[in-house]
């Protein structure tokens, strides 16, 4: 089907990242892509069991260049990546 939203590929962009604290562990994520409705991040496999599908993170820090954006995203899974909306 046709895409409704354009996504920016961020795989090789070191100026964008995300992190959150889950069960007293700080988890750093690599951002794969981002759009106006959400972003896709990759986390280490050892931390995937800490995230539950259809749950909301209380605090996630999304850093784009030097700007920090605090959000409360809903979590979805897509293969080995996590989708945040």
């Amino acid at each position: 089907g046709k895409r409704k939203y354009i996504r920016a590929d961020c795989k090789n962009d070191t100026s964008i990242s995300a992190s959150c604290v889950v069960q007293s562990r700080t988890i750093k994520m690599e951002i794969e892509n981002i759009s106006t409705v959400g972003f896709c991040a990759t986390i280490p496999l050892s931390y995937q069991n800490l995230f539950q599908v259809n749950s909301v993170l209380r605090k996630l820090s999304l850093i784009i260049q030097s700007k920090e954006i605090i959000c409360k995203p809903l979590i979805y899974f897509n293969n080995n990546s996590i989708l945040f909306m």
Side-chain angles (χ1 to χ4, degrees):
K2 291 185 179 182
R3 290 188 180 262
K4 293 182 181 179
Y5 304 97
I6 296 173
R7 293 191 161 269
D9 184 4
C10 303
K11 290 180 185 173
N12 298 319
D13 192 341
T14 58
S15 68
I16 184 169
S17 64
S19 65
C20 64
V21 176
V22 178
Q23 296 180 3
S24 302
R25 296 178 184 162
T26 300
I27 301 168
K28 297 189 184 292
M29 302 170 221
E30 293 181 21
I31 305 299
E32 291 185 18
N33 58 60
I34 191 167
S35 75
T36 57
V37 294
F39 61 93
C40 181
T42 303
I43 62 168
L45 288 173
S46 59
Y47 292 130
Q48 283 191 356
N49 63 333
L50 299 176
F51 294 89
Q52 293 181 340
V53 176
N54 296 327
S55 63
V56 176
L57 282 177
R58 291 184 187 172
K59 182 180 177 184
L60 183 135
S61 296
L62 178 64
I63 300 167
I64 301 173
Q65 292 181 348
S66 61
K67 306 285 187 208
E68 181 179 26
I69 302 163
I70 305 297
C71 51
K72 295 180 183 180
L74 181 62
I75 300 171
Y76 296 95
F77 279 97
N78 179 21
N79 299 329
N80 290 332
S81 299
I82 296 179
L83 301 174
F84 296 95
M85 302 287 210

